[in-house]
Amino acid sequence: MYAELHARSAFSFLEGASLPELLMSRCAQLNMPAMALLDRNGLYGAPRFHIAAQRAGMRAHIGAEIAVRDAGERMRPPQWLPHQIPAEPVRFALLAETQAGYQNLCRLITRYKLREAQKAEGAALLADVAEFAEGLVCLTGGNEGPLAAALTRGGYDEALREVECLVHIFGQGNVYVELQRHFDREQEYRNQAAVRIAGKLHLPLLATNGVSYATPYEREVLDVLTTIRHHCTLETAGRLLSPNAERYLRSPREMRQLFRDLPEAIDNTLELSARLTYEMSDLGYRFPDYPVPEGDSMQSFLEKRTEEGIRNRYLPKHDDRLFALAHKQAQRELALIIKLGLAGYFLIVWDIVQFCCRNDILVQGRGSAANSVVCYALGITAVDPVGMDLLFERFLSEERGEWPDIDLDLPSGDQRERAIQYVYQRYGELGAAMTANVITYRGRSAAREAGKALGFDAETLNRLTKLVSRWEWKEKDDSLGRNFHEAGFDIQHRRIAKYVELCQRMQDLPRHLGQHSGGMVICGDKLNAVVPIEPASMPGRTVIQWDKEDCADMKLIKVDLLGLGMMAVLKECLDVVPAHYGEPLDLAQLPPNDPPTYRAIQTADTVGMFQVESRAQMAALPRNYPTCFYDLVVQVAIIRPGPIVGNMMNPYMKRRQGKEKVDYYHPLLEPVLKRTLGIPLFQEQLIRMAMIVANFTGGEAEELRRAVGMRRSMARMKDLDGKLRRGMSANGIAPAVQDQIIQSISSFALYGFPESHAASFALIAYASAYLKCNYLAAFTAALLNNQPMGFYSPATIVKDAQRHGLRVKPVDVLHSDWRCTLEPEPCSAHRFVLRLGLCYARGLRQDAAIPLIAARELHAFTSIQDLALRVPELRKSDLALLAKIGALNSLGEVAHRRDALWQVEYAGRTVGPLLEELPEQNSESSPLRQMTIEERLVADFSGTGVTVGRHPMAFHRTQLRQMGILAASELASLPHGWAVRIAGCVIARQRPGTAKGFVFLSIEDETGIANAIITPAVYEQFKQVVVYEKFLLIEGELQNQENVISVKAREIRPLEISKAAVRSHDFH
Amino acid sequence: MPFPLYLCVHLRDFAAQALVCLNHELHFSAIVVLGGDPPLERVFAMNQRARQLGLATGMSRAQAESFPVVLLRRDHAKEEAAFAELIRCTEEFSPRIESIASPQEETCGATLVLDVSGSKRLFGNAQQIATSVQQSIKATGYEASVAIAHNAYAAVLAARGIEGVTAIAQGCEAETLAPLPLTVLELNDAQAETFAAWGILTLKQLAALPTKSLVARLGQIGFYLQAQARGEYSHLLVPTEQPDDAALCESMELDHPVEMLEPLLFLLSQMLEQVLQRAAERALAIAWVETSLVLDAASHAVHSEHRRIVRPALPERDRLTLLKLIQLDLEMHPPEAAVIALRIEAHPARPQRAQQGLFAAQAPEAGRLEILLARLRKLVGDGRVGAPELLDSHAPEAFRVTNFKIEHALSPRPVNTQQESHPSAMRMVRPPKAIAVELRGETPMAMHYEGTRLMLQTGSGPWRTSGAWWTHPAWSREEWDVVLKEEPQRCLRLAHDPAASCWYVIGIYD
């Protein structure tokens, strides 16, 4: 037998070609009892390797190749031989023998990674290695190791000294002289020297294969990755590439045959494997305790805070029954929380929420946390789980044996960063870090990098990568091959065929480590002893080497501090509304059933509203006709891939409209499914269904939900399926009904929403709708200030606000702040007009705008020359931009935009200080003619992305009418089935994965938004027009059913309306 | 003093015209010329028919293919030949010609300005001169816009902006130019952006701007541009001269196909004499000579033209040396058919001058050394004379033969201590000798060489290398070091090509 103890995975980033799971599964196929993973400078792949080993019933040894700066350079070919191999430090191959060894390895990597000022490979010093050597076993390594380097550098004597040095650092019993045989003459020469050194120093020999990929076939991928790493092509890489394909995972028989002259080297692999007792099952991770006042325990402190919270939350509701229920539920939850030892966790999340409250940062928990009344009481969530009868087991259960997941939504931007920095401060640099996000090769990146490796030039690459489809929907034959074939490439050509093949083989391989959007891991002891930490690209942030899935697998607790654009909008409204309108605004006390708000939602007048603004939502809203908060919860959840794929959406709508009888799979399920009219929509319902029909416990049912949701847990799913059927049979449920129930469970569980999560989002959706309907100016300003977010571009938001009666004023250097603001206008219906901020002048730097505002506050600018002189930060191009968009029109002596442009050329000229204040001699009025309407539109869209004037379509309405083109607002009054013509600028193009290749277009004119549906056949016919044209004329059949209006396109033509660069949000 | 008179010839879509000119079938088709390297080609130029279909420069091949057009690849050689033809044609009217835009400048048009002052007696009035020039150009197959004016730049702008023949009378320049779009001016991006922002679209609008204010904003360039727009820009005509490195060409058509080399060399000698004389007039020598032999298509030649290049190490002025080099090269690479035309293109360079040291060792004369090397090359083959240079590759025998270089400073080669301890040397067997091998398992046990069975005593290996898997054919090799059992116990290096299942002896250890 043999165990492979030196293997690199693709997590050695561009130095390994196989994922850890693949290595482990190959190892299992070869009947190897154990394997060790030693990735370069990190433990990036260790959790996946460990989990794969657990599943395969194998042993996974963990280690890493550690670069050591002062141990010399790694072996390179002699100088006289042409090569491009760069100088790199040697790497020590270290294996964790014990938990202490593992912790030392993590500390060691963290030490030198954090020593770097920014994200970099980094290298340890010998002193670091010596400090953290305990519990580690050192191998002398292969080509990259210190022994090979010393042999090349100074021959046998130098190598002997080097190995003696390793023995001195790691101890006599902890150094193994490693032998690798890749059928290479020089390597064999080094092996002979290594055998002599081992004999002289009485060190054990150890055979490994220095594995870089699972099978020889993957050598090609490794070569491509090598070229990416060294920024060259396969043709020019030369000796950087592997000399042969021998670094694959060999079978024990092959290895024994290869080392038949040194059998002890093979035997020692098993002996060392037996010595390496540490496996990653115990990381020594502990969640931090929350410091409580003297006399309190964490439990008692949590109980007190919960009690307070229950009173604060429920007493104002004046509902004794609800209060009693909440109290009882809190007791039940607290008992479980305490039993599971999670009191500290809740208190720490509460502490973050408290920090946000103290610092006026809006915060709200999302996800399954909203199922917990304790979370509600602690102010973590805003949804009343008792009032809404939400299922606690979805959040926490005893059987599940894992930590609950609490996600906090924060306003994106600075406020979220403050919360993150608070966690860093509170738990220290080595106590908290962001989780990683492993960036993998996907269609485009793989196409680009493989193309570079094959030596395609930059322009070809751009074209090739553009071919990779971006639509969410993929046609059956929408493969890379088809894309290239369509673009005129001969995919039968060997080079192109190889390229397509390489692109496919690179899919999902790790490319580099990024940062998760908000997941933070916090540790009771030192986090750097649990997982290596390294600097993130963003200043002030550190990141662990594992992603969120790895953290969950390794049972590290993560608190997600997520940035949500709409939270920033709500926060801005909370500040702006009281300040301008003089009315208090409390999101917790919004009127629950505001009629204008529901009317807007029911009529799908929802541009800018959270979660309910998309085209699909707009198409569903008039049918579902939400009348209460719970309807909104359903609405948020129903337009999701899960219910759509599971064919739940239409039955629900029909039942809601009374067109279909409300029916249940079984009478037992009526209480669970009653609220959703017999259709299971939420994950909680799945859990409850399993509990009721098959007598599952809460934990078992939750396990079922997770098993259904995971593609790889087929075996577990099979067990649970059997159990489910047995349970249902015991309850006397007929086999046909059983099939129905199982089908309904499996069809939506993959994508379904937790009800609690939908409720949290519905709260924000309602708040956004309420604000839009009652404080349109403030809401629109906040929306514009927090772009990019949501479904629509600023231009559409502005036009929508204008259609609702809000006046929007253009950017003006005399009135605009950096952000969009409100200006009082008492006679207006909305009491305020919205002033676009200078941030909307595309390309204007904030560094120039701030001095401009400061100078203006001293006294107003009198002319363009005055502005240019007093704000030297403004470059001539800035002034030209401001002139072009009309932002200088209110300055004295400026007649129109072109006049301003004329003056700007003079004011912005480069002259010495003597002449700069000299007014223009013989200045006549501008000889330039005023911009035409079309020119103004083009300038507006290119300079700001929006126009506050009339919609481009409005200028051509008469002509459009003559062409028989209807306005968007006129469609509602026409009967279903009529042939119509509509036209407008495209504001959104979609080809959802769930829509069988249909394309949905939203086109806008001055009266509103019209939707067009394009069948796959029509799309193929008019593909170029649909994808590239900005203004379209669409002919087709009107579909006007249940207040949902769309045009089923038959013919699509480009429309020459304007050259304005209107933008659409595409490919959602 | 009479007013000067300038004539401008502008060939719009020159790249397309150069291709279509000799192909009459294409005259009535919509033509698009693609530039760039496949598969990334973009529309570089097109004719009027294609433009009317809605094509535009910069479109991709895929976009262009969606129109009913004929797609042609850009051909620089044809463009340059057409441009030379254009100059030749206009030289009949004036020796003073300035090239404003040529194919080398990567523009899709070609513009020439001729100083035709004082040629009224020869060619008639301005209108007649312009018409004559246009007809002369048309006779060669090209469509040109011709403008004639007393201001050179007015003629250029009119030729660019107005099709056909335009004769601008003295004082009518501004009036004629007024309706032309601003694109006829050579504006950089910033200027074009400024004028676009100002809404200035025509030369009239530019001409009407107040000059002082314009200069205050754009500087002197504003003044020049406005002067051009008003037809007042004074342009100093600088006749185009041939550059030093312009190729010297000689060509000759033969009455009968010639198959023997000797008569060809006789002709080549005369042609070389001509070009060397022209080079000597400019105090230049010949850096390299390209000989093109046009082959007789009737004699089943694979290629219609046989091209060879001879490049001496130093620029050469000696006819005999160059001729000998050409002779040796043609003897090595004879044409595949009889020759019906000859052309030589000699590329001149500054002659090399070196002062020998008084006590410096006598080196062979450069020309003679060159001939010697050429003779050797003829004897042993191309790529086999010179100095070997190792390549950055794992491939076996990865080296190439490069020209000898004189090392000025001899740097000691780093000595590897490992090699010192193993002073064995190996002679490579070139070409490798094919053998048959008997195997025990995967290990060679005996080899059959020239009818003898040789037992192998010990062997180490295999040493495996493989690469170039992305090309066809990829290579892979296994090598073994073996010792023969028989006396003398020689140590050999064997190679096995797994793809071909062949064994070779590739080296002998000394």
Side-chain angles (χ1 to χ4, degrees), chain A residues 624-917:
Chain A
N624 281 347
Y625 207 75
T627 53
C628 63
F629 179 69
Y630 193 76
D631 291 346
L632 269 186
V633 176
V634 171
Q635 189 63 39
V636 165
I638 202 164
I639 304 299
R640 306 279 308 165
I644 293 171
V645 170
N647 202 18
M648 310 286 173
M649 195 173 77
N650 282 332
Y652 176 83
M653 285 187 186
K654 282 182 184 162
R655 291 181 184 197
R656 177 143 178 97
Q657 291 168 322
K659 292 180 178 172
E660 189 178 294
K661 189 171 154 257
V662 176
D663 199 5
Y664 301 97
Y665 298 120
H666 192 273
L668 279 173
L669 294 175
E670 186 174 344
V672 181
L673 300 177
K674 194 173 181 180
R675 280 201 296 195
T676 53
L677 310 179
I679 307 290
L681 292 177
F682 300 115
Q683 292 176 352
E684 286 86 342
Q685 288 174 315
L686 181 150
I687 295 171
R688 278 201 169 127
M689 281 163 73
M691 288 166 77
I692 289 172
V693 297
N695 306 327
F696 274 39
T697 63
E700 285 171 340
E702 170 60 14
E703 195 188 350
L704 171 71
R705 182 192 69 79
R706 289 162 63 85
V708 172
M710 289 170 70
R711 289 175 194 166
R712 284 173 291 182
S713 55
M714 294 304 288
R716 185 67 193 129
M717 188 57 217
K718 213 172 173 182
D719 290 349
L720 289 166
D721 185 82
K723 195 173 177 187
L724 199 60
R725 285 184 186 277
R726 282 195 298 281
M728 287 196 278
S729 299
N731 284 333
I733 297 173
V737 179
Q738 288 185 16
D739 288 344
Q740 270 188 337
I741 292 174
I742 287 175
Q743 171 60 30
S744 72
I745 284 173
S746 54
S747 62
F748 86 96
L750 192 57
Y751 301 105
F753 248 25
E755 189 175 12
S756 47
H757 182 68
S760 297
F761 269 19
L763 268 184
I764 302 176
Y766 181 76
S768 67
Y770 177 84
L771 288 170
K772 183 180 173 187
C773 294
N774 292 280
Y775 304 100
L776 181 65
F779 180 74
T780 309
L783 263 185
L784 293 176
N785 284 335
N786 289 285
Q787 292 293 318
M789 61 174 284
F791 194 79
Y792 298 103
S793 64
T796 307
I797 293 167
V798 165
K799 287 292 150 219
D800 180 72
Q802 286 176 326
R803 282 194 293 272
H804 285 83
L806 180 69
R807 271 190 69 205
V808 183
K809 289 187 172 177
V811 181
D812 187 334
V813 288
L814 287 183
H815 299 100
S816 289
D817 283 345
W818 174 246
R819 292 162 73 82
C820 300
T821 48
L822 303 189
E823 289 177 7
E825 195 175 65
C827 53
S828 146
H830 293 282
R831 290 184 279 169
F832 294 93
V833 296
L834 187 141
R835 170 71 70 180
L836 285 185
L838 289 165
C839 63
Y840 269 81
R842 275 184 189 161
L844 185 70
R845 295 154 298 123
Q846 196 170 1
D847 294 351
I850 299 300
L852 182 149
I853 296 162
R856 182 181 75 198
E857 277 167 9
L858 292 176
H859 58 94
F861 304 115
T862 55
S863 66
I864 290 176
Q865 192 165 11
D866 182 36
L867 170 68
L869 280 173
R870 284 171 53 199
V871 189
E873 290 85 355
L874 284 173
R875 295 183 289 224
K876 188 169 139 188
S877 58
D878 296 330
L879 289 167
L881 169 72
L882 292 168
K884 208 165 86 172
I885 61 173
L888 306 181
N889 281 8
S890 56
L891 289 175
E893 299 173 1
V894 175
H896 49 79
R897 294 186 194 195
R898 283 255 164 76
D899 187 19
L901 278 163
W902 182 251
Q903 292 188 37
V904 158
E905 279 302 326
Y906 184 81
R909 73 202 189 289
T910 43
V911 290
L914 188 65
L915 299 174
E916 67 179 8
E917 289 186 39

Side-chain angles (χ1 to χ4, degrees), chain A residues 174-350:
Chain A
N174 297 325
V175 176
Y176 283 72
V177 175
E178 189 175 349
L179 304 174
Q180 295 181 1
R181 282 183 167 162
H182 298 124
F183 301 102
D184 179 78
R185 269 194 196 84
E186 281 76 22
Q187 187 186 49
E188 192 52 35
Y189 165 76
R190 290 194 298 273
N191 280 344
Q192 299 305 325
V195 170
R196 280 195 287 151
I197 290 169
K200 185 169 175 68
L201 298 178
H202 307 292
L203 294 174
L205 293 171
L206 189 83
T208 77
N209 200 39
V211 167
S212 294
Y213 32 81
T215 58
Y217 180 52
E218 285 158 287
R219 174 260 182 115
E220 295 181 2
V221 176
L222 180 69
D223 278 352
V224 171
L225 297 179
T226 303
T227 62
I228 297 170
R229 187 165 175 238
H230 294 283
H231 311 290
C232 56
T233 67
L234 286 163
E235 287 293 347
T236 59
R239 290 185 166 77
L240 289 167
L241 302 182
S242 354
N244 56 32
E246 302 297 331
R247 286 181 173 269
Y248 64 94
L249 208 46
R250 290 180 194 280
S251 69
R253 208 176 121 264
E254 261 184 287
M255 285 302 284
R256 198 163 276 282
Q257 174 69 15
L258 202 55
F259 285 91
R260 60 187 176 279
D261 55 329
L262 295 165
E264 71 272 24
I266 297 288
D267 296 338
N268 285 343
T269 62
L270 297 177
E271 187 200 300
L272 177 56
S273 172
R275 250 187 81 180
L276 301 174
T277 53
Y278 179 71
E279 286 173 38
M280 287 181 76
S281 309
D282 179 16
L283 292 177
Y285 172 77
R286 196 173 62 79
F287 197 70
D289 292 337
Y290 182 78
V292 289
E294 190 106 2
D296 263 324
S297 65
M298 282 197 289
Q299 289 89 332
S300 64
F301 191 74
L302 177 66
E303 281 166 353
K304 282 181 191 167
R305 300 290 79 78
T306 306
E307 183 61 33
E308 281 169 17
I310 294 280
R311 284 176 186 284
N312 292 339
R313 290 281 199 184
Y314 286 96
L315 283 181
K317 295 182 196 264
H318 306 296
D319 184 338
D320 292 342
R321 192 186 136 271
L322 188 65
F323 180 79
L325 276 174
H327 206 268
K328 195 176 160 196
Q329 174 67 16
Q331 294 306 318
R332 199 180 125 226
E333 288 185 19
L334 281 170
L336 185 60
I337 289 166
I338 289 164
K339 186 176 175 188
L340 296 176
L342 299 176
Y345 174 69
F346 280 80
L347 286 172
I348 279 166
V349 178
W350 171 76

Side-chain angles (χ1 to χ4, degrees), chain A residues 79-84 151-152 183-185 188-189 219-220 223-224 234-239 241-246 454 457 459-460 463 489 494-495 498 502 876 898 901-903 905-906 909 920 922 924 927-929 931, chain B residues 39-42 60 62-63 194 196-201 205 209-210 212-214 216-218 390-394 413-414 416-419 421-422 461-467 469-472 474-475 479-481 493 509:
Chain A
Q79 263 185 333
W80 53 267
L81 201 59
H83 71 89
Q84 307 157 60
L151 274 169
T152 315
F183 301 102
D184 179 78
R185 269 194 196 84
E188 192 52 35
Y189 165 76
R219 174 260 182 115
E220 295 181 2
D223 278 352
V224 171
L234 286 163
E235 287 293 347
T236 59
R239 290 185 166 77
L241 302 182
S242 354
N244 56 32
E246 302 297 331
L454 285 170
D457 61 87
E459 219 176 331
T460 309
R463 224 181 106 202
F489 290 99
R494 188 185 152 79
R495 199 172 170 80
K498 184 51 99 177
L502 284 171
K876 188 169 139 188
R898 283 255 164 76
L901 278 163
W902 182 251
Q903 292 188 37
E905 279 302 326
Y906 184 81
R909 73 202 189 289
E920 189 174 4
N922 305 322
E924 311 136 39
L928 305 179
R929 62 178 171 79
M931 278 188 185
Chain B
L40 232 197
E41 295 158 296
R42 302 238 156 226
S60 67
Q63 285 172 304
T194 303
W198 286 354
I200 303 292
L201 304 174
Q205 288 171 320
L209 291 177
K212 275 188 185 173
S213 303
L214 183 67
R217 282 158 179 81
L218 298 187
L390 287 170
L391 295 178
D392 180 12
S393 168
H394 292 296
R413 174 177 287 184
N416 193 324
T417 48
Q418 288 171 254
Q419 286 180 342
S421 61
H422 292 79
W463 313 118
R464 289 182 184 150
T465 47
S466 60
W469 49 263
W470 59 93
T471 61
H472 186 70
W475 59 267
E479 291 178 2
W480 289 82
D481 297 316
R493 181 176 286 186
Y509 287 94

Side-chain angles (χ1 to χ4, degrees), chain B residues 203-259:
Chain B
L203 297 188
K204 184 182 180 181
Q205 288 171 320
L206 174 57
L209 291 177
T211 306
K212 275 188 185 173
S213 303
L214 183 67
V215 173
R217 282 158 179 81
L218 298 187
Q220 277 303 298
I221 189 67
F223 178 79
Y224 296 138
L225 289 171
Q226 193 180 49
Q228 286 177 19
R230 289 174 174 171
E232 295 168 356
Y233 181 68
S234 70
H235 172 74
L236 180 67
L237 188 129
V238 181
T240 308
E241 282 185 5
Q242 262 201 331
D244 265 2
D245 56 353
L248 304 167
C249 301
E250 279 293 316
S251 57
M252 186 180 286
E253 288 190 6
L254 309 180
D255 294 339
H256 309 287
V258 175
E259 288 187 343

